[in-house]
Amino acid sequence: MTSAKRFNGNLMDQFLKNGRSIILAYDQGLEHGPSVDFDNRNVDPSFIVEIASKGGFSGLALQKGVAERYYDGKVPLIVKVNGKSNLVKGEPVSRQTCSVEYAVSLGAKAVGYTIYLGSEHEAEMFAEFGKIQEEAHERGIAAITWVYPRGAAIANDTSKEIVACAARTALELGADAAKIKYTGDTQSFSWAVRSAGKTKVFMSGGPKAPTNDAFLIQVRGAIDAGATGVAVGRNVWQHAEPMKMADLLRQVVFENLQIPAMSKPAA
Ligand code: FBP
């Protein structure tokens, strides 16, 4: 089989509407610990699963334990197949926690894998993702990588150069989509999008922004730079009105709404 035949550019299609996408991420309980991000409302995975469907999200990213117990089949599922806590210090490494086969059995239409680019352990994650990507494609599902520059070698994880490097890493490792941090402006982020080639780019959210606009300006900037969409968590499910934020996100990503037209105080 030729490499051109091996590449199936359609694996992300079920996460797209007119080429755009909004993915809801909910793996922070493992990554950060429940006391950091959760309150009485959003500690319950059912709350997030409902936001995903009622809020019109294009995809939902969960670790396998949450997917097993709470996923309702309404929104295309991404199962994160690696993870780590933030308790261990030093150079970050995140190892595989779920097989591709098991993710598929849970209903996954894609697997998600975090790579800490620049970590002393990046080679382990490259190798592990390499196998996962091949197996995902053999099983006909997409392989998405969260590429986060991290570790002592990384001075600035949102510089134009390092974010483009993250995007390019995803392309070269065969990811169908890359979840990367925003550089801060459209022009510099467009270099990351260019660097990703046929790998689709999703902007990562980060901690909840102080105002709606502060967050949506980033989303607008990423979309204007050519990103496919966003893969965000806290800015939605920590919002006082998650449905309102979901609605704003849909308008910006799918309807090209400009931010000044919807300036509102933070909830
Ligand atoms: P947020 O939008 O809440 O930042 O979620 C995106 C995400 O990539 C999660 O999938 C993941 O758990 C978390 O951010 C990782 O955060 P950190 O950058 O602190 O490792």
Side-chain angles (χ1 to χ4, degrees), residues 20-42:
R20 298 260 177 89
S21 183
I22 54 172
I23 289 170
L24 190 62
Y26 187 64
D27 57 340
Q28 293 81 351
L30 175 64
E31 298 291 330
H32 301 154
S35 306
V36 176
D37 292 329
F38 295 162
D39 59 20
N40 272 330
R41 190 179 62 152
N42 58 36

Side-chain angles (χ1 to χ4, degrees), residues 67-112:
E68 271 175 342
R69 289 157 181 80
Y70 296 90
Y71 179 56
D72 61 5
K74 291 182 182 164
V75 168
L77 175 67
I78 301 158
V79 172
K80 281 296 303 289
V81 294
N82 71 335
K84 67 162 191 57
S85 79
N86 66 357
L87 298 173
V88 180
K89 304 304 172 198
E91 291 291 299
V93 61
S94 184
R95 298 299 303 258
Q96 188 167 3
T97 53
C98 177
S99 68
V100 176
E101 183 181 12
Y102 199 71
V104 169
S105 79
L106 294 174
K109 301 294 184 268
V111 285

Side-chain angles (χ1 to χ4, degrees), residues 12-264:
M12 286 297 293
D13 278 3
Q14 45 206 316
F15 296 99
L16 307 180
K17 187 170 89 181
N18 296 329
R20 298 260 177 89
S21 183
I22 54 172
I23 289 170
L24 190 62
Y26 187 64
D27 57 340
Q28 293 81 351
L30 175 64
E31 298 291 330
H32 301 154
S35 306
V36 176
D37 292 329
F38 295 162
D39 59 20
N40 272 330
R41 190 179 62 152
N42 58 36
V43 73
D44 179 1
S46 308
F47 179 67
I48 277 67
V49 170
E50 193 174 314
I51 293 172
S53 56
K54 291 196 174 153
F57 281 85
S58 326
L60 174 63
L62 302 172
Q63 284 282 354
K64 75 171 177 183
V66 174
E68 271 175 342
R69 289 157 181 80
Y70 296 90
Y71 179 56
D72 61 5
K74 291 182 182 164
V75 168
L77 175 67
I78 301 158
V79 172
K80 281 296 303 289
V81 294
N82 71 335
K84 67 162 191 57
S85 79
N86 66 357
L87 298 173
V88 180
K89 304 304 172 198
E91 291 291 299
V93 61
S94 184
R95 298 299 303 258
Q96 188 167 3
T97 53
C98 177
S99 68
V100 176
E101 183 181 12
Y102 199 71
V104 169
S105 79
L106 294 174
K109 301 294 184 268
V111 285
Y113 186 97
T114 302
I115 293 171
Y116 294 111
L117 181 66
S119 162
E120 281 175 14
H121 307 292
E122 71 167 24
E124 287 171 52
M125 292 172 277
F126 284 2
E128 212 165 62
F129 179 70
K131 293 199 181 88
I132 286 165
Q133 182 263 10
E134 289 171 18
E135 193 180 343
H137 287 183
E138 274 159 21
R139 292 177 182 275
I141 66 167
I144 303 174
T145 179
W146 285 218
V147 190
Y148 292 162
R150 203 159 292 178
I154 305 298
N156 176 2
D157 67 350
T158 57
S159 73
K160 175 184 174 184
E161 292 74 21
I162 200 68
V163 175
C165 190
R168 190 67 179 203
T169 298
L171 167 64
E172 305 226 7
L173 294 180
D176 301 288
K179 179 161 157 30
I180 55 175
K181 300 213 180 266
Y182 190 51
T183 52
D185 65 87
T186 300
Q187 202 186 13
S188 57
F189 200 69
S190 68
W191 182 237
V193 174
R194 293 265 299 146
S195 302
K198 290 183 179 178
T199 292
K200 299 191 185 311
V201 169
F202 287 76
M203 186 196 87
S204 191
K208 187 176 175 300
T211 65
N212 291 346
D213 281 6
F215 175 58
L216 294 170
I217 283 166
Q218 297 176 47
V219 177
R220 178 78 268 149
I223 296 297
D224 289 346
T228 296
V230 295
V232 300
R234 289 166 283 180
N235 276 287
V236 176
W237 45 254
Q238 284 182 350
H239 198 282
E241 296 177 76
M243 287 306 151
K244 179 171 152 187
M245 179 47 80
D247 183 43
L248 290 169
L249 266 181
R250 288 198 312 275
Q251 290 184 56
V252 175
V253 173
F254 298 123
E255 295 163 28
N256 278 326
L257 205 69
Q258 301 302 309
I259 307 312
M262 55 189 183
S263 285
K264 292 205 174 95

